[in-house]
């Protein structure tokens, strides 16, 4: 079993020991993910990036990642597979010869 699958299983075990699966429908997991991402953003608000508290960043990233794992489990998605596919799709949309060093969106290259 991969490290990612082991991590996901540990999170699911944590959830199940507390009987929280009943609250984890896809809509609420997606909302929680968005809220945790906003809390991560808040750590940078009105600061220089280097002034953000790294320990708080770690906690918020863990929260975001946890909801990603739970939502992936809800739909039985393989995160390695879908991320690999997304990288391939982005490689086609953003070819190196056009996108390197350029922040434009793919349809503006």
């Amino acid at each position: 079993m991969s490290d990612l699958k082991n991590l996901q299983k540990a999170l699911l075990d944590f959830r199940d020991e507390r009987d929280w699966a009943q609250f984890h429908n896809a809509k609420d997991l997606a909302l929680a993910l968005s809220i945790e991402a906003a809390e991560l953003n808040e750590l940078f608000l009105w600061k220089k990036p280097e002034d953000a508290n790294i320990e708080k960043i770690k906690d918020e990233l863990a929260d975001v990642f946890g909801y990603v794992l739970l939502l992936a489990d809800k739909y039985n998605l393989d995160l390695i597979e879908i991320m690999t596919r997304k990288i391939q799709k982005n490689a086609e949309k953003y070819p190196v010869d056009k996108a390197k060093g350029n922040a434009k969106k793919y349809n503006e290259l």
Side-chain angles (χ1 to χ4, degrees):
M1 191 180 292
S2 74
D3 289 344
L4 185 59
K5 284 288 184 191
N6 286 333
L7 185 62
Q8 190 174 35
K9 183 181 179 329
L11 180 60
L12 293 170
D13 289 347
F14 176 89
R15 177 202 67 191
D16 292 344
E17 288 167 355
R18 289 154 182 80
D19 193 26
W20 288 349
Q22 63 182 314
F23 307 115
H24 289 179
N25 63 73
K27 174 195 66 87
D28 287 332
L29 289 171
L31 290 170
L33 173 60
S34 178
I35 291 164
E36 293 300 340
E39 290 178 9
L40 176 62
N41 285 337
E42 187 177 28
L43 299 177
F44 294 94
L45 186 62
W46 316 123
K47 311 181 168 127
K48 295 176 184 171
E50 60 272 14
D51 292 338
N53 182 313
I54 193 69
E55 292 305 314
K56 290 181 180 180
I57 290 170
K58 289 177 187 179
D59 283 343
E60 295 305 335
L61 276 176
D63 290 341
V64 167
F65 192 51
Y67 285 115
V68 167
L69 292 172
L70 291 169
L71 191 55
D73 176 71
K74 182 63 66 180
Y75 289 105
N76 197 30
L77 300 175
D78 181 330
L79 287 169
I80 301 295
E81 176 187 320
I82 63 175
M83 193 67 225
T84 301
R85 191 173 340 128
K86 183 63 175 179
I87 292 168
Q88 291 168 346
K89 285 171 69 173
N90 282 344
E92 292 171 15
K93 287 169 45 174
Y94 296 95
V96 174
D97 63 323
K98 292 182 180 178
K100 188 171 184 173
N102 190 331
K104 291 181 180 176
K105 193 169 178 175
Y106 68 92
N107 60 351
E108 297 173 347
L109 294 174

